[in-house]
Amino acid sequence: MLAKLGPLDADRIADLRPYLESVPDPRSRRGRWYSLTAILLVCACAVLGGAKSIEEIAEAGDRASIALLTALGIRRHLLGWRRSPKPVTIGRVLEALDGDALDQAVGAYLADQHRKAPSADMPSAHVRRVVAVDGKALKGSARLDAPRRHLLSAVTHAPVATLAQAEVGAETNETRRFKPLLAPLDLTDTVVTFDALHSVKANITWLVETKKTHCIAVIKTNQPVAYTQLDALPWTSIAIQHTASRTAHGRRESRSIKTCSLAGSLGGIAFPHAVLAIRVHRRRKPTGKPETRESVYAVTSLDSHHATPADLAAAIQGHWGIENSSHHIRDVTFAEDASTVHAGNAPRAMAGFRNLAIGALKLLGADNVAKTTRALRHEPEHALTILGITNKPRP
Protein backbone atom coordinates (compact mmCIF):
# COMPACT_ATOMS: atom_id res chain seq x y z
CA MET A 1 0.00 0.00 0.00
CA LEU A 2 2.84 2.41 0.75
CA ALA A 3 4.50 1.64 -2.58
CA LYS A 4 1.38 2.87 -4.38
CA LEU A 5 2.02 6.38 -3.07
CA GLY A 6 4.89 6.69 -5.52
CA PRO A 7 8.11 8.67 -5.08
CA LEU A 8 7.82 10.98 -2.08
CA ASP A 9 10.35 13.65 -3.00
CA ALA A 10 10.58 17.31 -2.09
CA ASP A 11 8.88 18.35 -5.35
CA ARG A 12 5.64 16.58 -4.33
CA ILE A 13 5.70 16.89 -0.54
CA ALA A 14 5.69 20.12 1.46
CA ASP A 15 6.92 20.32 5.05
CA LEU A 16 3.99 20.45 7.47
CA ARG A 17 5.94 22.10 10.29
CA PRO A 18 5.89 25.71 9.02
CA TYR A 19 2.10 25.54 8.67
CA LEU A 20 1.58 24.23 12.21
CA GLU A 21 3.97 26.83 13.62
CA SER A 22 1.40 29.50 12.68
CA VAL A 23 -1.09 28.07 15.22
CA PRO A 24 -0.95 30.12 18.46
CA ASP A 25 -0.09 28.29 21.65
CA PRO A 26 -2.98 28.57 24.17
CA ARG A 27 -0.79 27.62 27.14
CA SER A 28 1.03 29.94 29.49
CA ARG A 29 4.80 30.06 29.16
CA ARG A 30 5.34 28.65 32.61
CA GLY A 31 5.63 24.90 32.87
CA ARG A 32 5.89 24.07 29.17
CA TRP A 33 7.98 21.06 28.29
CA TYR A 34 6.68 20.18 24.84
CA SER A 35 6.39 22.74 22.09
CA LEU A 36 2.94 23.10 20.51
CA THR A 37 4.29 22.12 17.08
CA ALA A 38 5.72 18.89 18.52
CA ILE A 39 2.39 17.93 20.11
CA LEU A 40 0.49 18.69 16.89
CA LEU A 41 2.98 16.65 14.86
CA VAL A 42 2.57 13.69 17.22
CA CYS A 43 -1.20 13.94 16.68
CA ALA A 44 -0.84 14.25 12.90
CA CYS A 45 1.46 11.23 12.59
CA ALA A 46 -0.68 9.13 14.93
CA VAL A 47 -3.92 9.91 13.08
CA LEU A 48 -2.12 9.19 9.81
CA GLY A 49 -1.50 5.75 11.29
CA GLY A 50 -5.19 5.26 12.12
CA ALA A 51 -5.42 6.63 15.69
CA LYS A 52 -9.07 7.30 16.55
CA SER A 53 -8.85 8.90 20.01
CA ILE A 54 -6.55 10.88 22.25
CA GLU A 55 -5.56 7.68 24.08
CA GLU A 56 -4.56 6.02 20.81
CA ILE A 57 -2.53 9.08 19.86
CA ALA A 58 -0.61 8.81 23.14
CA GLU A 59 -0.11 5.08 22.63
CA ALA A 60 1.30 5.71 19.17
CA GLY A 61 3.72 8.22 20.70
CA ASP A 62 4.80 5.67 23.31
CA ARG A 63 5.61 3.15 20.56
CA ALA A 64 7.62 5.70 18.57
CA SER A 65 11.37 5.31 18.34
CA ILE A 66 13.89 7.86 19.64
CA ALA A 67 14.73 8.88 16.05
CA LEU A 68 11.04 9.47 15.28
CA LEU A 69 10.52 11.56 18.42
CA THR A 70 13.64 13.55 17.58
CA ALA A 71 12.32 14.34 14.11
CA LEU A 72 8.98 15.41 15.59
CA GLY A 73 10.75 17.91 17.85
CA ILE A 74 10.25 16.19 21.20
CA ARG A 75 12.57 17.85 23.70
CA ARG A 76 15.43 15.82 25.16
CA HIS A 77 15.73 15.50 28.91
CA LEU A 78 19.03 16.18 30.69
CA LEU A 79 19.30 12.45 31.34
CA GLY A 80 19.07 11.79 27.61
CA TRP A 81 15.58 10.31 27.27
CA ARG A 82 12.75 11.58 25.08
CA ARG A 83 9.15 10.79 25.95
CA SER A 84 5.98 11.41 24.02
CA PRO A 85 3.31 13.56 25.74
CA LYS A 86 0.76 11.77 27.92
CA PRO A 87 -2.99 11.65 27.09
CA VAL A 88 -3.82 14.33 29.67
CA THR A 89 -1.30 16.72 28.09
CA ILE A 90 -2.58 16.11 24.57
CA GLY A 91 -6.20 16.44 25.72
CA ARG A 92 -5.64 19.75 27.49
CA VAL A 93 -3.84 21.23 24.49
CA LEU A 94 -6.53 20.17 22.01
CA GLU A 95 -9.30 21.44 24.28
CA ALA A 96 -7.79 24.94 24.44
CA LEU A 97 -6.50 25.03 20.87
CA ASP A 98 -7.75 27.67 18.42
CA GLY A 99 -9.86 25.56 16.05
CA ASP A 100 -9.95 28.23 13.34
CA ALA A 101 -6.15 28.56 13.32
CA LEU A 102 -5.63 24.80 13.10
CA ASP A 103 -8.14 24.44 10.26
CA GLN A 104 -6.49 27.32 8.40
CA ALA A 105 -3.07 25.68 8.77
CA VAL A 106 -4.33 22.27 7.60
CA GLY A 107 -6.30 23.84 4.75
CA ALA A 108 -3.32 25.90 3.56
CA TYR A 109 -1.10 22.82 3.62
CA LEU A 110 -3.57 20.70 1.65
CA ALA A 111 -4.23 23.55 -0.80
CA ASP A 112 -0.53 23.80 -1.59
CA GLN A 113 -0.34 20.03 -1.99
CA HIS A 114 -3.41 20.06 -4.23
CA ARG A 115 -1.76 22.49 -6.64
CA LYS A 116 1.06 19.97 -7.13
CA ALA A 117 -1.24 16.97 -7.55
CA PRO A 118 -2.67 16.00 -10.95
CA SER A 119 -6.33 16.97 -11.24
CA ALA A 120 -9.04 14.77 -12.71
CA ASP A 121 -12.26 16.45 -11.66
CA MET A 122 -13.51 17.22 -15.15
CA PRO A 123 -12.55 15.49 -18.39
CA SER A 124 -12.44 18.57 -20.63
CA ALA A 125 -9.25 19.97 -22.07
CA HIS A 126 -9.33 23.01 -19.77
CA VAL A 127 -9.56 21.41 -16.35
CA ARG A 128 -11.19 23.47 -13.64
CA ARG A 129 -10.87 22.69 -9.97
CA VAL A 130 -14.21 21.70 -8.44
CA VAL A 131 -14.88 22.44 -4.76
CA ALA A 132 -17.87 21.09 -2.82
CA VAL A 133 -19.36 22.85 0.20
CA ASP A 134 -20.95 20.33 2.54
CA GLY A 135 -21.64 19.94 6.25
CA LYS A 136 -21.12 17.09 8.68
CA ALA A 137 -22.22 16.53 12.29
CA LEU A 138 -19.95 15.02 14.95
CA LYS A 139 -22.55 12.76 16.56
CA GLY A 140 -20.39 11.52 19.42
CA SER A 141 -19.67 15.04 20.66
CA ALA A 142 -23.23 15.58 21.96
CA ARG A 143 -23.91 15.72 25.69
CA LEU A 144 -26.99 16.30 27.81
CA ASP A 145 -26.14 19.96 28.25
CA ALA A 146 -24.65 20.56 24.80
CA PRO A 147 -25.77 19.70 21.27
CA ARG A 148 -23.52 17.82 18.89
CA ARG A 149 -20.93 19.85 17.03
CA HIS A 150 -21.54 20.60 13.35
CA LEU A 151 -18.80 21.44 10.83
CA LEU A 152 -19.03 22.99 7.37
CA SER A 153 -16.21 22.14 4.96
CA ALA A 154 -14.96 23.07 1.49
CA VAL A 155 -13.65 19.89 -0.13
CA THR A 156 -12.10 19.45 -3.57
CA HIS A 157 -13.68 16.74 -5.70
CA ALA A 158 -10.73 14.83 -7.12
CA PRO A 159 -8.36 14.31 -5.53
CA VAL A 160 -10.16 14.84 -2.23
CA ALA A 161 -8.71 17.48 0.10
CA THR A 162 -10.38 19.70 2.70
CA LEU A 163 -9.34 23.28 1.94
CA ALA A 164 -11.34 24.97 4.71
CA GLN A 165 -13.47 24.03 7.67
CA ALA A 166 -15.60 26.07 10.05
CA GLU A 167 -17.81 25.21 12.98
CA VAL A 168 -21.50 26.00 12.72
CA GLY A 169 -22.69 27.29 16.07
CA ALA A 170 -25.84 26.16 17.83
CA GLU A 171 -27.51 29.54 17.28
CA THR A 172 -26.99 29.73 13.51
CA ASN A 173 -27.05 27.47 10.45
CA GLU A 174 -24.81 26.46 7.56
CA THR A 175 -26.07 29.23 5.27
CA ARG A 176 -24.63 32.01 7.44
CA ARG A 177 -21.22 30.29 7.50
CA PHE A 178 -21.08 29.91 3.70
CA LYS A 179 -19.35 33.21 2.89
CA PRO A 180 -16.91 33.22 5.87
CA LEU A 181 -15.85 29.69 4.92
CA LEU A 182 -15.00 30.50 1.29
CA ALA A 183 -13.81 34.10 1.72
CA PRO A 184 -10.10 33.30 2.45
CA LEU A 185 -9.82 30.82 -0.47
CA ASP A 186 -8.59 31.65 -3.96
CA LEU A 187 -11.49 30.40 -6.08
CA THR A 188 -10.72 32.16 -9.35
CA ASP A 189 -11.88 30.03 -12.30
CA THR A 190 -13.08 27.34 -9.89
CA VAL A 191 -16.44 25.56 -9.93
CA VAL A 192 -18.21 25.49 -6.55
CA THR A 193 -20.96 22.91 -5.95
CA PHE A 194 -23.42 22.81 -3.06
CA ASP A 195 -26.85 21.46 -2.21
CA ALA A 196 -30.16 23.29 -2.17
CA LEU A 197 -29.63 24.63 1.35
CA HIS A 198 -26.95 27.03 0.08
CA SER A 199 -28.72 27.92 -3.18
CA VAL A 200 -29.37 31.44 -1.96
CA LYS A 201 -29.37 34.33 -4.42
CA ALA A 202 -26.99 36.41 -2.30
CA ASN A 203 -24.46 33.53 -2.21
CA ILE A 204 -24.59 33.08 -5.99
CA THR A 205 -24.10 36.78 -6.64
CA TRP A 206 -21.18 36.93 -4.21
CA LEU A 207 -19.47 33.90 -5.77
CA VAL A 208 -19.73 35.08 -9.36
CA GLU A 209 -19.19 38.83 -8.93
CA THR A 210 -16.80 38.98 -5.97
CA LYS A 211 -14.93 35.67 -5.97
CA LYS A 212 -14.86 35.43 -9.82
CA THR A 213 -15.84 31.78 -9.74
CA HIS A 214 -18.49 29.55 -11.28
CA CYS A 215 -21.11 27.55 -9.44
CA ILE A 216 -23.61 24.73 -9.86
CA ALA A 217 -26.62 25.33 -7.63
CA VAL A 218 -29.25 22.66 -6.97
CA ILE A 219 -32.75 24.15 -7.03
CA LYS A 220 -35.51 22.61 -4.94
CA THR A 221 -38.80 23.83 -3.55
CA ASN A 222 -37.02 26.21 -1.16
CA GLN A 223 -36.79 28.44 -4.27
CA PRO A 224 -40.41 27.99 -5.43
CA VAL A 225 -40.41 30.46 -8.33
CA ALA A 226 -37.15 29.23 -9.85
CA TYR A 227 -38.14 25.58 -9.29
CA THR A 228 -41.49 26.10 -11.06
CA GLN A 229 -39.78 27.82 -13.99
CA LEU A 230 -37.22 25.01 -14.33
CA ASP A 231 -39.89 22.34 -14.14
CA ALA A 232 -41.87 24.10 -16.89
CA LEU A 233 -39.00 24.01 -19.42
CA PRO A 234 -39.59 21.75 -22.47
CA TRP A 235 -37.48 18.86 -21.16
CA THR A 236 -39.43 16.23 -23.13
CA SER A 237 -38.34 17.78 -26.41
CA ILE A 238 -34.65 17.90 -25.39
CA ALA A 239 -32.55 14.83 -26.17
CA ILE A 240 -30.48 13.13 -23.47
CA GLN A 241 -26.95 14.56 -23.74
CA HIS A 242 -25.02 12.28 -21.39
CA THR A 243 -25.64 9.02 -19.53
CA ALA A 244 -23.71 7.01 -16.95
CA SER A 245 -24.50 3.81 -15.10
CA ARG A 246 -22.81 1.51 -12.62
CA THR A 247 -23.53 -1.46 -10.38
CA ALA A 248 -22.09 -1.34 -6.87
CA HIS A 249 -23.05 -1.65 -3.20
CA GLY A 250 -25.95 -3.96 -4.00
CA ARG A 251 -27.73 -1.63 -6.39
CA ARG A 252 -27.76 -0.59 -10.02
CA GLU A 253 -27.77 3.13 -10.77
CA SER A 254 -28.13 5.07 -13.99
CA ARG A 255 -28.08 8.82 -14.54
CA SER A 256 -28.96 10.93 -17.53
CA ILE A 257 -28.46 14.67 -17.95
CA LYS A 258 -30.12 17.30 -20.10
CA THR A 259 -29.17 20.96 -20.37
CA CYS A 260 -31.11 23.95 -21.64
CA SER A 261 -29.76 27.44 -22.34
CA LEU A 262 -31.51 30.24 -20.51
CA ALA A 263 -31.76 33.29 -22.76
CA GLY A 264 -31.33 36.40 -20.68
CA SER A 265 -32.99 38.52 -23.37
CA LEU A 266 -36.17 36.47 -22.89
CA GLY A 267 -36.23 36.92 -19.15
CA GLY A 268 -34.32 33.80 -18.08
CA ILE A 269 -35.44 32.53 -14.68
CA ALA A 270 -35.75 34.12 -11.27
CA PHE A 271 -32.21 33.26 -10.23
CA PRO A 272 -29.03 35.34 -10.68
CA HIS A 273 -26.28 34.32 -13.13
CA ALA A 274 -28.20 31.28 -14.37
CA VAL A 275 -26.87 30.56 -17.85
CA LEU A 276 -27.69 26.86 -18.19
CA ALA A 277 -30.52 24.84 -16.71
CA ILE A 278 -29.72 21.23 -15.82
CA ARG A 279 -31.97 18.26 -15.25
CA VAL A 280 -30.46 15.08 -13.82
CA HIS A 281 -32.69 12.00 -13.89
CA ARG A 282 -31.61 9.21 -11.55
CA ARG A 283 -32.82 5.62 -11.59
CA ARG A 284 -31.85 3.32 -8.72
CA LYS A 285 -32.62 -0.42 -8.45
CA PRO A 286 -31.52 -2.06 -5.17
CA THR A 287 -31.30 -5.84 -5.23
CA GLY A 288 -34.67 -7.34 -4.35
CA LYS A 289 -36.42 -3.96 -4.16
CA PRO A 290 -38.46 -1.89 -6.62
CA GLU A 291 -36.80 0.73 -8.80
CA THR A 292 -36.93 4.38 -7.75
CA ARG A 293 -36.71 7.42 -10.02
CA GLU A 294 -35.90 11.02 -9.21
CA SER A 295 -35.32 14.21 -11.18
CA VAL A 296 -33.07 16.95 -9.80
CA TYR A 297 -32.88 20.47 -11.23
CA ALA A 298 -29.86 22.76 -11.09
CA VAL A 299 -28.55 25.95 -12.65
CA THR A 300 -25.00 26.98 -13.42
CA SER A 301 -23.11 30.08 -14.45
CA LEU A 302 -21.11 27.99 -16.94
CA ASP A 303 -22.25 28.09 -20.54
CA SER A 304 -21.99 25.33 -23.14
CA HIS A 305 -18.59 26.63 -24.29
CA HIS A 306 -17.12 26.35 -20.78
CA ALA A 307 -18.39 22.88 -19.85
CA THR A 308 -19.88 19.94 -21.71
CA PRO A 309 -22.79 17.87 -20.34
CA ALA A 310 -20.23 15.23 -19.33
CA ASP A 311 -18.31 17.88 -17.35
CA LEU A 312 -21.45 19.01 -15.56
CA ALA A 313 -22.47 15.42 -14.82
CA ALA A 314 -19.01 14.70 -13.36
CA ALA A 315 -19.18 17.80 -11.15
CA ILE A 316 -22.68 17.00 -9.84
CA GLN A 317 -21.80 13.35 -9.26
CA GLY A 318 -18.56 14.41 -7.58
CA HIS A 319 -20.50 16.53 -5.09
CA TRP A 320 -22.72 13.59 -4.16
CA GLY A 321 -19.59 11.43 -3.96
CA ILE A 322 -18.08 13.56 -1.16
CA GLU A 323 -20.13 11.45 1.27
CA ASN A 324 -18.17 8.34 0.22
CA SER A 325 -14.77 9.88 -0.45
CA SER A 326 -14.54 11.96 2.76
CA HIS A 327 -17.39 11.61 5.27
CA HIS A 328 -17.65 7.82 5.00
CA ILE A 329 -13.90 7.44 5.57
CA ARG A 330 -14.04 9.69 8.64
CA ASP A 331 -16.91 7.66 10.08
CA VAL A 332 -15.73 4.14 9.21
CA THR A 333 -11.92 4.24 9.07
CA PHE A 334 -11.47 6.84 11.85
CA ALA A 335 -14.73 6.15 13.77
CA GLU A 336 -15.58 9.84 13.98
CA ASP A 337 -19.27 9.41 14.86
CA ALA A 338 -18.35 6.91 17.57
CA SER A 339 -15.75 9.22 19.12
CA THR A 340 -16.69 10.48 22.58
CA VAL A 341 -14.24 13.40 22.55
CA HIS A 342 -16.38 16.40 23.48
CA ALA A 343 -14.51 18.86 25.72
CA GLY A 344 -13.56 22.28 24.41
CA ASN A 345 -12.22 22.41 20.86
CA ALA A 346 -10.91 18.84 20.96
CA PRO A 347 -13.67 17.41 18.67
CA ARG A 348 -12.93 19.99 16.01
CA ALA A 349 -9.17 19.49 16.34
CA MET A 350 -9.54 15.73 15.89
CA ALA A 351 -11.69 16.34 12.81
CA GLY A 352 -8.95 18.61 11.45
CA PHE A 353 -6.31 15.91 11.88
CA ARG A 354 -8.59 13.39 10.13
CA ASN A 355 -8.98 15.82 7.23
CA LEU A 356 -5.21 16.17 7.12
CA ALA A 357 -4.67 12.40 7.02
CA ILE A 358 -7.30 11.77 4.34
CA GLY A 359 -6.18 14.68 2.18
CA ALA A 360 -2.47 13.86 2.41
CA LEU A 361 -3.05 10.22 1.44
CA LYS A 362 -5.57 10.96 -1.31
CA LEU A 363 -3.33 13.59 -2.88
CA LEU A 364 -0.52 11.05 -3.05
CA GLY A 365 -2.75 8.53 -4.83
CA ALA A 366 -3.88 6.21 -2.03
CA ASP A 367 -6.91 4.26 -3.28
CA ASN A 368 -7.62 2.57 0.06
CA VAL A 369 -7.13 4.83 3.08
CA ALA A 370 -7.93 2.10 5.63
CA LYS A 371 -5.21 -0.27 4.37
CA THR A 372 -2.70 2.57 4.05
CA THR A 373 -3.27 3.74 7.64
CA ARG A 374 -2.78 0.17 8.89
CA ALA A 375 0.51 -0.02 6.98
CA LEU A 376 1.62 3.29 8.49
CA ARG A 377 0.72 2.05 11.96
CA HIS A 378 3.36 -0.68 11.63
CA GLU A 379 5.90 1.58 9.89
CA PRO A 380 5.36 5.02 11.46
CA GLU A 381 8.63 6.38 10.05
CA HIS A 382 6.91 6.63 6.66
CA ALA A 383 4.47 9.16 8.12
CA LEU A 384 7.37 11.62 8.39
CA THR A 385 8.01 11.37 4.66
CA ILE A 386 4.33 11.76 3.80
CA LEU A 387 4.16 14.97 5.85
CA GLY A 388 7.46 16.26 4.42
CA ILE A 389 9.34 16.02 7.73
CA THR A 390 13.02 15.16 7.45
CA ASN A 391 14.90 13.20 10.07
CA LYS A 392 16.92 16.30 10.88
CA PRO A 393 15.08 18.37 13.53
CA ARG A 394 14.43 22.02 12.80
CA PRO A 395 16.55 24.39 14.90
Side-chain angles (χ1 to χ4, degrees):
M1 298 307 299
L2 298 180
K4 291 183 179 181
L5 302 182
L8 305 180
D9 49 27
D11 295 334
R12 297 185 63 198
I13 309 297
D15 192 344
L16 178 63
R17 286 174 291 187
Y19 297 88
L20 295 182
E21 288 170 356
S22 64
V23 180
D25 196 333
R27 303 169 295 174
S28 62
R29 290 185 175 273
R30 183 178 181 181
R32 294 184 193 175
W33 179 262
Y34 303 100
S35 68
L36 178 64
T37 303
I39 296 177
L40 298 181
L41 286 175
V42 170
C43 296
C45 290
V47 174
L48 201 59
K52 303 178 180 65
S53 63
I54 295 177
E55 289 74 15
E56 292 188 13
I57 291 176
E59 291 171 2
D62 292 337
R63 295 192 303 266
S65 63
I66 298 298
L68 180 58
L69 295 178
T70 303
L72 294 178
I74 297 299
R75 183 179 172 187
R76 184 176 68 87
H77 193 268
L78 293 177
L79 299 178
W81 49 260
R82 299 177 191 268
R83 293 179 181 173
S84 179
K86 298 299 180 182
V88 62
T89 303
I90 298 174
R92 287 174 178 173
V93 170
L94 296 186
E95 289 173 18
L97 198 65
D98 187 344
D100 291 332
L102 179 62
D103 284 332
Q104 290 174 6
V106 171
Y109 175 78
L110 293 178
D112 291 342
Q113 291 292 94
H114 191 274
R115 296 187 187 97
K116 302 177 182 179
S119 180
D121 344 53
M122 304 178 78
S124 58
H126 178 60
V127 178
R128 286 185 174 85
R129 184 174 64 171
V130 187
V131 177
V133 177
D134 199 12
K136 186 181 184 304
L138 307 180
K139 297 180 180 179
S141 62
R143 288 297 178 270
L144 292 177
D145 57 343
R148 61 187 180 184
R149 317 291 279 272
H150 194 89
L151 302 177
L152 184 65
S153 304
V155 187
T156 57
H157 282 205
V160 173
T162 303
L163 304 182
Q165 182 173 265
E167 184 170 357
V168 179
E171 299 179 357
T172 183
N173 53 32
E174 290 186 10
T175 304
R176 294 188 178 182
R177 299 296 301 169
F178 184 86
K179 290 183 181 180
L181 176 74
L182 299 179
L185 301 180
D186 181 12
L187 299 175
T188 305
D189 203 28
T190 300
V191 180
V192 180
T193 62
F194 39 86
D195 54 23
L197 176 65
H198 300 292
S199 295
V200 180
K201 296 179 180 180
N203 291 344
I204 306 300
T205 303
W206 176 76
L207 282 174
V208 176
E209 298 180 2
T210 304
K211 299 297 290 183
K212 307 301 180 183
T213 185
H214 297 284
C215 61
I216 300 177
V218 175
I219 304 297
K220 292 187 178 180
T221 53
N222 62 329
Q223 297 285 344
V225 177
Y227 182 84
T228 303
Q229 291 175 328
L230 289 174
D231 188 54
L233 292 175
W235 296 111
T236 56
S237 61
I238 300 175
I240 295 176
Q241 299 164 349
H242 178 76
T243 59
S245 61
R246 68 169 186 167
T247 301
H249 306 291
R251 62 179 180 267
R252 186 177 68 254
E253 296 180 343
S254 63
R255 295 177 176 85
S256 62
I257 186 171
K258 296 181 179 181
T259 62
C260 178
S261 297
L262 300 173
S265 58
L266 300 179
I269 67 169
F271 210 77
H273 300 285
V275 179
L276 278 180
I278 305 170
R279 194 196 79 161
V280 179
H281 187 69
R282 298 184 292 186
R283 302 172 63 180
R284 179 176 299 177
K285 178 65 172 66
T287 303
K289 296 182 180 180
E291 181 182 76
T292 60
R293 301 185 181 187
E294 180 187 14
S295 292
V296 178
Y297 296 114
V299 295
T300 178
S301 58
L302 295 163
D303 57 29
S304 57
H305 301 288
H306 291 154
T308 65
D311 297 335
L312 298 174
I316 295 174
Q317 177 62 20
H319 180 81
W320 294 331
I322 292 298
E323 288 290 338
N324 295 328
S325 58
S326 179
H327 297 173
H328 182 75
I329 296 176
R330 286 166 60 175
D331 288 336
V332 176
T333 303
F334 295 100
E336 184 170 80
D337 279 349
S339 174
T340 58
V341 177
H342 63 279
N345 289 327
R348 182 176 177 182
M350 291 296 296
F353 288 123
R354 296 181 189 112
N355 290 334
L356 173 64
I358 295 171
L361 294 178
K362 288 284 189 179
L363 290 172
L364 292 176
D367 54 357
N368 191 317
V369 174
K371 288 185 177 181
T372 308
T373 54
R374 287 196 294 269
L376 290 170
R377 185 181 309 166
H378 298 293
E379 300 183 34
E381 292 78 11
H382 289 286
L384 297 178
T385 311
I386 292 175
L387 298 179
I389 303 172
T390 62
N391 289 328
K392 296 180 180 179
R394 290 166 61 87

